[in-house]
Amino acid sequence: MTGSSASPLIVWFRDDLRLSDHPALHDAAQSGAPLVCLYVLDEEGSPQHGRPIGSASRWWLAQSLRSLQGSLTARGQSLTLRRGRPARVIADLAQEIRASAVHWNESDIPGEAATEREVTTALDRIGVASRSFPSDLLVRPEKLRNKEGRGLRVFTPFWKRVLSLGDPPQPLPAPKALTAGPKIATDDLASWNLEPTRPDWASGLRETWTPGEAAAQKRLKDFLDNDIASYASLRDRPDRDATSRLSPHLRFGEISPRQVWHSASFAAAGKPAISSSVAKFLSELGWREFSRHLLFDHPQLAERNLQSSFDAFPWHSDPKALRAWQRGQTGYPIVDAGMRELWHTGIMHNRVRMVVASFLVKHLLIDWRDGEKWFWDTLVDADPGSNPASWQWVAGSGADAAPYFRVFNPILQGEKFDPDGAYVSKWVPELARLPAKLIHQPWEATPMELAAAGVTLGKTYPEPIVDHKTARARALAAYAKTRD
């Protein structure tokens, strides 16, 4: 089977599609044993194991697996692809190659943790060792408990606790050499149909992104070299390229939170003037961490209100309005720009995410779960913790939530954070010729101004589907009913 007399080891890759700071791979490589690097596609998504990833994430996964395959090939390795329930697939492969152990990085996502337990049980039955390593978070959820033994539900004290623990462990280097294991059958990645074909709607994703570990590390370096100084002041501006755009790379583990933490901290140590921006940047990493800890304590985060008072909220079923929101046809330019950016690129600026989410939940009174599902399918960074936690935050039903009566005014949000209208002009080009003072409220333009800009409301661009003042009053009245 192999030139080495040692029994092979299996390294099971999951949402950690990288070679550096990969504790399971690092430990396996140090043994000198022949390795089989394995990725298992589990599409069943049963309730106890979480849901299948969305369409945009499937596209990203395909690119990331190709990138990982290239990195392994450069080290004389290959990536074995198998499909099915991990416990069965991994146990079968372990028997097939007479593996002595299976290494993997642990996940604190409840469904993934359940899968790990299944894998361990299946391997125990056949006498194969399991070796798992913490990797995905800065701090394990069990280490951050309150006096009652529960997780923290307010971000600021949570993040203070994380910071009080000091730096996380230093990231591990990528193995310089990997001993090839036996040649075994592997699925053809194309047969998994992760990428769209008819129709191929992924052209915007291809234009926008380069998935993979090398691209993730380059993105982090470029951000810390060029953009971090202005991050604190410009991070809310969707018209500026001022954010790191690392979220999908983190989602698929092409870069680890520890790598981001230490690189940013090193940059701040060398340039004290950027320390406040670095602190703000790391707190955004903290929100990812906070959301994952919430998910650990509340596995049904995407289905159930964290605050039970919202169980009685009078949501409206309005498929027509939901469709207008999804297509970026609400008549509110900042909302429509965000939704179109999402469809084309698989991502949306964080400030605009809050605006479009507030619009759906509060202007349209549509259940936050409908928005969460749409984001889950269309975001390349759809994270099982951050996505539902953020939707519940906006809805007012979650932990550390914005109060429900905080209703974002999409006109004022546009004027404040896209003052020149550049963001709207890019994603809603039919309004691009309107002056900046009108682009966020085209209905206030005179007939002559609309004609000069080539805009016909109701034809080239929709009238607002709701009136802001009326919708706000309706939302507050609905909220009051839940407080009675």
Side-chain angles (χ1 to χ4, degrees), residues 66 80-83 185-194:
R66 287 196 187 97
T80 299
L81 304 176
R82 298 278 174 97
R83 179 158 40 178
T186 180
D187 288 356
D188 177 15
L189 181 59
S191 73
W192 285 2
N193 298 315
L194 295 173

Side-chain angles (χ1 to χ4, degrees), residues 118-230:
E118 287 183 359
V119 171
T120 299
T121 300
L123 293 174
D124 284 345
R125 286 197 201 103
I126 58 174
V128 176
S130 304
R131 295 178 189 150
S132 59
F133 305 81
S135 165
D136 192 40
L137 295 174
L138 299 171
V139 181
R140 302 295 298 272
E142 311 91 85
K143 293 185 177 181
L144 280 184
R145 306 279 97 184
N146 62 18
K147 292 178 181 178
E148 291 76 38
R150 294 192 295 269
L152 282 65
R153 288 182 48 157
V154 179
F155 175 73
T156 299
F158 168 86
W159 189 233
K160 285 181 178 177
R161 284 277 297 275
V162 173
L163 294 175
S164 73
L165 297 174
D167 289 338
Q170 284 285 343
L172 298 165
K176 293 181 179 178
L178 298 170
T179 305
K183 292 190 178 300
I184 54 176
T186 180
D187 288 356
D188 177 15
L189 181 59
S191 73
W192 285 2
N193 298 315
L194 295 173
E195 300 163 279
T197 53
R198 297 178 184 176
D200 177 6
W201 44 259
S203 60
L205 305 186
R206 289 191 291 271
E207 290 170 13
T208 307
W209 298 104
T210 303
E213 180 177 14
Q217 292 182 344
K218 181 179 186 301
R219 187 172 287 278
L220 176 60
K221 183 179 186 305
D222 289 348
F223 174 69
L224 294 176
D225 286 348
N226 304 312
D227 301 317
I228 187 64
S230 59

Side-chain angles (χ1 to χ4, degrees), residues 305 307-316 360-369 395-397 404-405 474-483:
N305 296 308
Q307 296 187 28
S308 59
S309 61
F310 271 80
D311 292 348
F313 192 88
W315 301 114
H316 285 201
L360 183 77
V361 171
K362 297 174 183 179
H363 284 73
L364 303 180
L365 289 187
I366 291 175
D367 195 323
W368 63 265
R369 283 160 282 230
S397 63
Y404 187 82
F405 53 79
R474 183 178 66 164
L476 295 179
Y479 174 67
K481 291 179 182 178
T482 70
R483 312 304 291 177

Side-chain angles (χ1 to χ4, degrees), residues 350-419:
N350 190 59
R351 165 58 58 172
V352 186
R353 292 191 200 201
M354 291 189 283
V355 175
V356 304
S358 177
F359 187 87
L360 183 77
V361 171
K362 297 174 183 179
H363 284 73
L364 303 180
L365 289 187
I366 291 175
D367 195 323
W368 63 265
R369 283 160 282 230
D370 290 329
E372 196 276 341
K373 288 174 186 173
W374 183 253
F375 273 28
W376 182 258
D377 194 47
T378 54
L379 282 170
V380 291
D381 67 356
D383 183 276
S386 299
N387 196 47
S390 297
W391 272 95
Q392 293 221 45
W393 182 86
V394 171
S397 63
D400 198 14
Y404 187 82
F405 53 79
R406 182 186 181 191
V407 180
F408 281 116
N409 182 326
I411 305 159
L412 297 181
Q413 290 286 310
E415 291 174 344
K416 182 176 182 179
F417 297 111
D418 183 29

